[in-house]
Amino acid sequence: MLENALQYSHTLLKEVVHADDIVIDATMGNGHDTKFLAELVGLNGTVYSFDIQKLALMNTTELLNQNNLTDRVKLIQDSHANIDHYVTETITGAIFNLGYLPGGDKTEITHASSTLTAIESCLELLKSNGRVILVCYYGHPGGKDELAQVQQFTSNLDQHQYQVLEYQFTNQIHHPPILIAIEKR
Amino acid sequence: MLENALQYSHTLLKEVVHADDIVIDATMGNGHDTKFLAELVGLNGTVYSFDIQKLALMNTTELLNQNNLTDRVKLIQDSHANIDHYVTETITGAIFNLGYLPGGDKTEITHASSTLTAIESCLELLKSNGRVILVCYYGHPGGKDELAQVQQFTSNLDQHQYQVLEYQFTNQIHHPPILIAIEKR
Protein backbone atom coordinates (compact mmCIF):
# COMPACT_ATOMS: atom_id res chain seq x y z
CA MET A 1 0.00 0.00 0.00
CA LEU A 2 1.11 3.52 -0.76
CA GLU A 3 1.75 5.35 2.52
CA ASN A 4 -0.94 7.82 3.49
CA ALA A 5 0.07 11.41 4.32
CA LEU A 6 0.34 10.71 8.05
CA GLN A 7 2.53 7.63 7.56
CA TYR A 8 4.69 9.43 5.01
CA SER A 9 5.15 12.39 7.41
CA HIS A 10 6.76 9.98 9.89
CA THR A 11 8.90 8.36 7.18
CA LEU A 12 10.25 11.78 6.16
CA LEU A 13 10.96 12.79 9.79
CA LYS A 14 12.71 9.50 10.61
CA GLU A 15 15.19 10.17 7.81
CA VAL A 16 16.43 13.44 9.35
CA VAL A 17 15.68 13.38 13.10
CA HIS A 18 18.18 11.47 15.23
CA ALA A 19 19.14 10.92 18.86
CA ASP A 20 19.92 14.10 20.87
CA ASP A 21 18.16 16.37 18.35
CA ILE A 22 15.87 19.27 19.16
CA VAL A 23 12.52 19.27 17.33
CA ILE A 24 9.12 20.97 17.39
CA ASP A 25 5.57 19.61 17.36
CA ALA A 26 3.71 22.77 16.42
CA THR A 27 0.26 21.19 16.84
CA MET A 28 0.27 18.91 19.88
CA GLY A 29 -3.32 17.66 19.59
CA ASN A 30 -3.60 14.27 21.24
CA GLY A 31 0.18 13.97 21.38
CA HIS A 32 0.77 11.22 18.84
CA ASP A 33 3.42 13.17 16.92
CA THR A 34 4.96 14.40 20.18
CA LYS A 35 5.32 10.77 21.33
CA PHE A 36 6.77 9.75 17.95
CA LEU A 37 9.32 12.60 18.06
CA ALA A 38 10.19 11.90 21.73
CA GLU A 39 11.11 8.35 20.73
CA LEU A 40 13.26 9.58 17.82
CA VAL A 41 15.27 12.14 19.81
CA GLY A 42 15.89 9.81 22.75
CA LEU A 43 16.80 10.55 26.35
CA ASN A 44 19.05 13.54 25.61
CA GLY A 45 16.93 15.16 22.92
CA THR A 46 14.21 17.77 23.32
CA VAL A 47 10.70 18.03 21.86
CA TYR A 48 8.96 21.41 22.16
CA SER A 49 5.24 20.81 21.74
CA PHE A 50 2.62 23.56 21.36
CA ASP A 51 -1.15 23.81 21.72
CA ILE A 52 -3.51 26.50 22.96
CA GLN A 53 -6.02 23.94 24.28
CA LYS A 54 -5.68 22.65 27.84
CA LEU A 55 -7.26 19.36 26.72
CA ALA A 56 -4.34 18.77 24.36
CA LEU A 57 -1.81 19.15 27.18
CA MET A 58 -3.82 16.85 29.45
CA ASN A 59 -4.12 14.10 26.83
CA THR A 60 -0.49 14.40 25.80
CA THR A 61 0.77 14.35 29.39
CA GLU A 62 -1.12 11.10 29.95
CA LEU A 63 0.24 9.54 26.74
CA LEU A 64 3.82 10.52 27.60
CA ASN A 65 3.47 9.24 31.18
CA GLN A 66 2.23 5.87 29.92
CA ASN A 67 5.33 5.60 27.73
CA ASN A 68 7.93 7.06 30.12
CA LEU A 69 8.74 9.86 27.72
CA THR A 70 8.00 12.97 29.81
CA ASP A 71 11.67 13.74 30.59
CA ARG A 72 12.56 14.99 27.09
CA VAL A 73 9.37 16.88 26.23
CA LYS A 74 8.38 20.49 26.96
CA LEU A 75 4.61 21.00 26.66
CA ILE A 76 3.72 24.62 26.08
CA GLN A 77 0.17 25.99 26.27
CA ASP A 78 0.46 28.86 23.82
CA SER A 79 -0.12 29.57 20.14
CA HIS A 80 2.52 28.20 17.80
CA ALA A 81 2.69 31.76 16.48
CA ASN A 82 4.86 32.35 19.59
CA ILE A 83 7.39 29.57 18.93
CA ASP A 84 10.18 32.16 18.85
CA HIS A 85 9.42 33.06 22.49
CA TYR A 86 10.34 29.56 23.61
CA VAL A 87 12.81 28.01 21.17
CA THR A 88 16.20 29.47 20.26
CA GLU A 89 18.17 26.32 19.48
CA THR A 90 18.72 24.86 16.00
CA ILE A 91 16.12 22.20 15.16
CA THR A 92 16.32 19.25 12.74
CA GLY A 93 12.58 18.85 12.27
CA ALA A 94 9.12 20.18 12.94
CA ILE A 95 5.63 18.88 12.29
CA PHE A 96 2.29 20.59 11.87
CA ASN A 97 -1.15 18.99 11.64
CA LEU A 98 -3.22 21.77 10.16
CA GLY A 99 -6.97 21.78 10.73
CA TYR A 100 -8.54 20.78 14.06
CA LEU A 101 -7.74 18.49 16.99
CA PRO A 102 -9.39 15.09 16.30
CA GLY A 103 -11.77 14.41 19.18
CA GLY A 104 -11.45 17.98 20.40
CA ASP A 105 -13.45 21.14 19.89
CA LYS A 106 -14.03 21.46 16.14
CA THR A 107 -14.43 25.20 16.38
CA GLU A 108 -10.80 25.35 17.52
CA ILE A 109 -9.01 25.20 14.20
CA THR A 110 -5.64 26.42 13.02
CA HIS A 111 -5.67 29.66 11.01
CA ALA A 112 -3.45 30.65 8.12
CA SER A 113 -2.04 33.80 9.73
CA SER A 114 -0.68 32.12 12.87
CA THR A 115 0.22 28.99 10.89
CA LEU A 116 2.40 30.99 8.50
CA THR A 117 4.09 32.83 11.38
CA ALA A 118 4.83 29.47 13.02
CA ILE A 119 6.20 27.95 9.80
CA GLU A 120 8.47 30.97 9.34
CA SER A 121 9.77 30.59 12.90
CA CYS A 122 10.53 26.91 12.30
CA LEU A 123 12.33 27.66 9.02
CA GLU A 124 14.46 30.26 10.85
CA LEU A 125 15.51 27.64 13.43
CA LEU A 126 15.91 24.79 10.91
CA LYS A 127 19.29 23.20 10.30
CA SER A 128 20.58 22.47 6.79
CA ASN A 129 18.98 19.19 5.58
CA GLY A 130 16.32 19.49 8.27
CA ARG A 131 12.62 19.23 7.40
CA VAL A 132 9.40 21.03 8.33
CA ILE A 133 6.43 18.77 7.57
CA LEU A 134 2.86 20.01 7.18
CA VAL A 135 -0.05 17.57 7.17
CA CYS A 136 -2.96 19.65 5.92
CA TYR A 137 -6.55 18.61 6.69
CA TYR A 138 -8.85 20.86 4.74
CA GLY A 139 -12.32 19.27 4.79
CA HIS A 140 -13.66 21.65 7.48
CA PRO A 141 -15.05 25.18 6.96
CA GLY A 142 -12.14 27.50 6.20
CA GLY A 143 -9.87 24.55 5.53
CA LYS A 144 -9.50 25.10 1.80
CA ASP A 145 -8.65 28.75 2.36
CA GLU A 146 -5.93 27.92 4.90
CA LEU A 147 -4.55 25.23 2.53
CA ALA A 148 -4.45 27.68 -0.38
CA GLN A 149 -2.54 30.24 1.69
CA VAL A 150 -0.08 27.61 2.93
CA GLN A 151 0.47 26.33 -0.63
CA GLN A 152 0.97 29.87 -1.89
CA PHE A 153 3.53 30.58 0.84
CA THR A 154 5.48 27.33 0.47
CA SER A 155 5.53 27.27 -3.33
CA ASN A 156 7.12 30.72 -3.26
CA LEU A 157 10.00 29.74 -0.97
CA ASP A 158 13.37 30.39 -2.67
CA GLN A 159 14.40 27.23 -4.54
CA HIS A 160 18.06 27.94 -3.73
CA GLN A 161 17.32 27.71 -0.01
CA TYR A 162 14.53 25.12 0.14
CA GLN A 163 12.99 22.14 -1.62
CA VAL A 164 9.18 22.02 -1.28
CA LEU A 165 7.41 18.73 -1.95
CA GLU A 166 3.66 18.08 -2.14
CA TYR A 167 2.36 14.53 -1.67
CA GLN A 168 -1.35 13.97 -2.18
CA PHE A 169 -3.98 11.46 -3.23
CA THR A 170 -5.99 12.93 -6.06
CA ASN A 171 -8.86 10.49 -6.64
CA GLN A 172 -10.30 10.28 -3.10
CA ILE A 173 -13.57 12.13 -2.59
CA HIS A 174 -13.32 12.60 1.19
CA HIS A 175 -10.42 15.07 1.21
CA PRO A 176 -7.56 13.00 2.62
CA PRO A 177 -4.85 15.30 4.04
CA ILE A 178 -2.18 16.76 1.75
CA LEU A 179 1.42 16.53 2.92
CA ILE A 180 3.81 19.42 2.27
CA ALA A 181 7.48 18.84 3.12
CA ILE A 182 10.01 21.69 3.24
CA GLU A 183 13.69 20.75 3.33
CA LYS A 184 16.41 23.33 3.92
CA ARG A 185 19.41 23.07 1.58
CA MET B 1 17.75 15.00 0.35
CA LEU B 2 14.15 14.44 -0.65
CA GLU B 3 14.04 11.97 -3.55
CA ASN B 4 13.36 13.52 -6.93
CA ALA B 5 10.52 12.13 -9.06
CA LEU B 6 12.82 9.76 -10.97
CA GLN B 7 14.37 8.34 -7.79
CA TYR B 8 10.97 8.02 -6.13
CA SER B 9 9.59 6.18 -9.19
CA HIS B 10 12.23 3.48 -8.63
CA THR B 11 11.54 3.36 -4.88
CA LEU B 12 7.84 2.78 -5.55
CA LEU B 13 8.53 0.06 -8.16
CA LYS B 14 11.04 -1.75 -5.94
CA GLU B 15 8.34 -2.15 -3.28
CA VAL B 16 6.02 -4.13 -5.59
CA VAL B 17 8.13 -5.71 -8.38
CA HIS B 18 9.90 -8.93 -7.45
CA ALA B 19 11.81 -11.83 -9.03
CA ASP B 20 9.93 -13.69 -11.81
CA ASP B 21 7.44 -10.84 -12.34
CA ILE B 22 6.19 -9.53 -15.66
CA VAL B 23 6.39 -5.74 -16.10
CA ILE B 24 6.15 -3.06 -18.77
CA ASP B 25 8.38 -0.12 -19.67
CA ALA B 26 5.96 1.85 -21.81
CA THR B 27 8.55 4.44 -22.84
CA MET B 28 11.87 2.71 -23.49
CA GLY B 29 13.90 5.84 -24.33
CA ASN B 30 17.56 5.18 -23.56
CA GLY B 31 16.65 2.04 -21.65
CA HIS B 32 17.47 3.11 -18.12
CA ASP B 33 14.11 2.03 -16.68
CA THR B 34 14.18 -1.15 -18.79
CA LYS B 35 17.57 -2.04 -17.28
CA PHE B 36 16.30 -1.23 -13.77
CA LEU B 37 13.21 -3.41 -14.25
CA ALA B 38 15.28 -6.24 -15.82
CA GLU B 39 17.39 -6.34 -12.66
CA LEU B 40 14.29 -6.40 -10.43
CA VAL B 41 12.50 -9.26 -12.23
CA GLY B 42 15.64 -11.41 -12.51
CA LEU B 43 16.46 -14.29 -14.86
CA ASN B 44 12.96 -15.72 -15.01
CA GLY B 45 11.02 -12.51 -15.23
CA THR B 46 9.97 -10.56 -18.32
CA VAL B 47 10.18 -6.88 -19.22
CA TYR B 48 8.14 -5.72 -22.22
CA SER B 49 9.63 -2.43 -23.41
CA PHE B 50 8.04 -0.15 -26.02
CA ASP B 51 9.22 2.70 -28.24
CA ILE B 52 8.40 3.84 -31.75
CA GLN B 53 11.94 5.17 -32.34
CA LYS B 54 14.60 2.84 -33.77
CA LEU B 55 17.23 4.86 -31.89
CA ALA B 56 15.64 3.87 -28.58
CA LEU B 57 15.87 0.16 -29.43
CA MET B 58 19.50 0.52 -30.54
CA ASN B 59 20.56 2.36 -27.38
CA THR B 60 18.66 0.00 -25.12
CA THR B 61 20.02 -3.12 -26.83
CA GLU B 62 23.54 -1.82 -26.22
CA LEU B 63 22.82 -1.03 -22.56
CA LEU B 64 21.28 -4.47 -21.96
CA ASN B 65 24.16 -6.22 -23.74
CA GLN B 66 26.70 -4.42 -21.57
CA ASN B 67 24.86 -5.65 -18.48
CA ASN B 68 24.00 -9.19 -19.62
CA LEU B 69 20.29 -8.50 -19.27
CA THR B 70 19.00 -9.20 -22.80
CA ASP B 71 17.58 -12.65 -21.97
CA ARG B 72 14.59 -11.38 -19.97
CA VAL B 73 13.65 -8.32 -22.05
CA LYS B 74 11.39 -8.01 -25.10
CA LEU B 75 12.05 -4.80 -27.02
CA ILE B 76 9.10 -3.82 -29.19
CA GLN B 77 9.23 -1.08 -31.84
CA ASP B 78 5.63 0.04 -31.76
CA SER B 79 3.45 2.64 -30.05
CA HIS B 80 2.58 1.89 -26.43
CA ALA B 81 -1.00 2.44 -27.56
CA ASN B 82 -0.69 -1.15 -28.88
CA ILE B 83 0.46 -2.76 -25.61
CA ASP B 84 -2.61 -5.03 -25.71
CA HIS B 85 -1.34 -6.55 -28.99
CA TYR B 86 1.76 -7.86 -27.24
CA VAL B 87 1.05 -8.43 -23.55
CA THR B 88 -1.67 -10.67 -22.14
CA GLU B 89 -0.12 -11.76 -18.85
CA THR B 90 -0.78 -10.14 -15.47
CA ILE B 91 1.79 -7.49 -14.62
CA THR B 92 2.98 -6.16 -11.23
CA GLY B 93 4.29 -2.85 -12.50
CA ALA B 94 4.63 -0.46 -15.41
CA ILE B 95 6.51 2.78 -15.91
CA PHE B 96 5.99 5.72 -18.26
CA ASN B 97 8.30 8.67 -18.83
CA LEU B 98 5.99 11.15 -20.50
CA GLY B 99 7.48 13.87 -22.69
CA TYR B 100 10.41 13.22 -25.04
CA LEU B 101 13.42 10.92 -25.25
CA PRO B 102 16.40 12.70 -23.60
CA GLY B 103 19.13 13.00 -26.23
CA GLY B 104 16.71 11.95 -28.96
CA ASP B 105 14.53 13.78 -31.43
CA LYS B 106 12.68 16.43 -29.43
CA THR B 107 9.86 16.56 -31.96
CA GLU B 108 9.09 12.94 -31.03
CA ILE B 109 7.03 13.44 -27.91
CA THR B 110 4.38 11.34 -26.24
CA HIS B 111 0.78 12.46 -26.83
CA ALA B 112 -2.14 12.32 -24.44
CA SER B 113 -4.40 10.17 -26.64
CA SER B 114 -1.95 7.27 -27.05
CA THR B 115 -0.65 7.77 -23.51
CA LEU B 116 -4.13 7.34 -22.05
CA THR B 117 -4.79 4.23 -24.17
CA ALA B 118 -1.50 2.77 -22.94
CA ILE B 119 -2.26 3.57 -19.29
CA GLU B 120 -5.68 1.92 -19.63
CA SER B 121 -4.07 -1.22 -21.11
CA CYS B 122 -1.59 -1.38 -18.21
CA LEU B 123 -4.37 -0.95 -15.62
CA GLU B 124 -6.30 -3.82 -17.30
CA LEU B 125 -3.26 -6.10 -16.95
CA LEU B 126 -2.30 -4.89 -13.47
CA LYS B 127 -2.38 -7.26 -10.49
CA SER B 128 -3.90 -6.24 -7.16
CA ASN B 129 -1.29 -4.15 -5.23
CA GLY B 130 0.61 -3.56 -8.47
CA ARG B 131 1.60 -0.04 -9.53
CA VAL B 132 1.62 1.98 -12.74
CA ILE B 133 4.06 4.90 -12.37
CA LEU B 134 4.01 7.99 -14.58
CA VAL B 135 6.95 10.42 -14.56
CA CYS B 136 5.57 13.47 -16.37
CA TYR B 137 7.96 15.96 -17.99
CA TYR B 138 5.92 18.92 -19.14
CA GLY B 139 8.39 21.74 -19.91
CA HIS B 140 8.18 21.21 -23.72
CA PRO B 141 5.52 22.57 -26.10
CA GLY B 142 2.31 20.59 -25.54
CA GLY B 143 3.65 19.18 -22.28
CA LYS B 144 1.27 21.05 -19.99
CA ASP B 145 -1.70 19.94 -22.07
CA GLU B 146 -0.67 16.28 -21.93
CA LEU B 147 -0.09 16.59 -18.17
CA ALA B 148 -3.52 18.16 -17.64
CA GLN B 149 -5.20 15.34 -19.55
CA VAL B 150 -3.28 12.67 -17.65
CA GLN B 151 -4.13 14.34 -14.31
CA GLN B 152 -7.77 14.58 -15.31
CA PHE B 153 -7.86 10.90 -16.27
CA THR B 154 -6.02 9.60 -13.20
CA SER B 155 -7.84 11.76 -10.64
CA ASN B 156 -11.13 10.36 -11.94
CA LEU B 157 -10.15 6.71 -11.45
CA ASP B 158 -12.58 4.94 -9.09
CA GLN B 159 -11.25 5.27 -5.53
CA HIS B 160 -12.62 1.83 -4.68
CA GLN B 161 -10.40 0.26 -7.33
CA TYR B 162 -7.32 2.50 -7.29
CA GLN B 163 -5.25 4.84 -5.16
CA VAL B 164 -3.77 7.73 -7.16
CA LEU B 165 -0.84 9.65 -5.66
CA GLU B 166 0.81 12.81 -6.98
CA TYR B 167 4.35 13.69 -5.86
CA GLN B 168 5.76 17.01 -6.99
CA PHE B 169 8.14 19.82 -6.11
CA THR B 170 6.22 23.07 -6.10
CA ASN B 171 8.85 25.80 -5.70
CA GLN B 172 11.22 24.91 -8.58
CA ILE B 173 11.03 27.22 -11.57
CA HIS B 174 12.39 24.80 -14.18
CA HIS B 175 9.44 22.38 -14.25
CA PRO B 176 10.88 19.28 -12.56
CA PRO B 177 8.82 16.21 -13.53
CA ILE B 178 5.66 15.33 -11.59
CA LEU B 179 5.25 11.73 -10.47
CA ILE B 180 1.81 10.09 -10.56
CA ALA B 181 1.51 6.63 -9.01
CA ILE B 182 -1.57 4.44 -9.51
CA GLU B 183 -1.96 1.42 -7.23
CA LYS B 184 -4.65 -1.19 -7.80
CA ARG B 185 -6.53 -2.24 -4.66
Side-chain angles (χ1 to χ4, degrees), chain B residues 5 8-9 12 133-136 165-168 177-181:
Chain B
Y8 196 57
S9 73
L12 290 178
I133 309 289
L134 318 172
V135 180
C136 309
L165 170 70
E166 287 194 20
Y167 179 100
Q168 64 174 305
I178 293 178
L179 180 146
I180 301 175

Side-chain angles (χ1 to χ4, degrees), chain A residues 80-168:
Chain A
H80 51 211
N82 297 323
I83 281 176
D84 62 350
H85 299 190
Y86 300 91
V87 190
T88 54
E89 304 100 313
T90 299
I91 63 172
T92 56
I95 188 157
F96 290 70
N97 275 283
L98 302 180
Y100 54 81
L101 168 60
D105 181 350
K106 282 186 188 170
T107 63
E108 292 285 349
I109 57 172
T110 55
H111 293 281
S113 61
S114 55
T115 296
L116 295 182
T117 303
I119 295 170
E120 282 180 323
S121 296
C122 289
L123 293 179
E124 277 295 314
L125 299 167
L126 194 64
K127 197 176 154 176
S128 177
N129 301 316
R131 293 176 182 166
V132 173
I133 309 288
L134 319 172
V135 180
C136 309
Y137 297 82
Y138 61 98
H140 58 288
K144 277 190 183 158
D145 184 50
E146 183 187 26
L147 175 64
Q149 289 188 59
V150 169
Q151 285 178 314
Q152 158 110 16
F153 172 79
T154 54
S155 66
N156 281 306
L157 286 169
D158 179 1
Q159 65 171 342
H160 301 295
Q161 287 189 270
Y162 301 101
Q163 280 190 296
V164 179
L165 170 71
E166 287 194 19
Y167 178 101
Q168 63 175 303

Side-chain angles (χ1 to χ4, degrees), chain A residues 1-2 8 12 131 154-155 157 159 162-173 183 185, chain B residues 1-2 8 12 131 154-155 157 159 162-173 183 185:
Chain A
M1 284 281 284
L2 293 164
Y8 196 57
L12 290 178
R131 293 176 182 166
T154 54
S155 66
L157 286 169
Q159 65 171 342
Y162 301 101
Q163 280 190 296
V164 179
L165 170 71
E166 287 194 19
Y167 178 101
Q168 63 175 303
F169 290 88
T170 60
N171 73 327
Q172 314 290 310
I173 55 173
E183 181 172 297
R185 293 190 190 271
Chain B
M1 284 279 286
L2 293 164
Y8 196 57
L12 290 178
R131 292 176 182 167
T154 54
S155 66
L157 286 170
Q159 65 171 342
Y162 301 100
Q163 279 190 297
V164 179
L165 170 70
E166 287 194 20
Y167 179 100
Q168 64 174 305
F169 290 88
T170 60
N171 73 327
Q172 314 290 310
I173 56 174
E183 181 172 297
R185 292 188 190 271

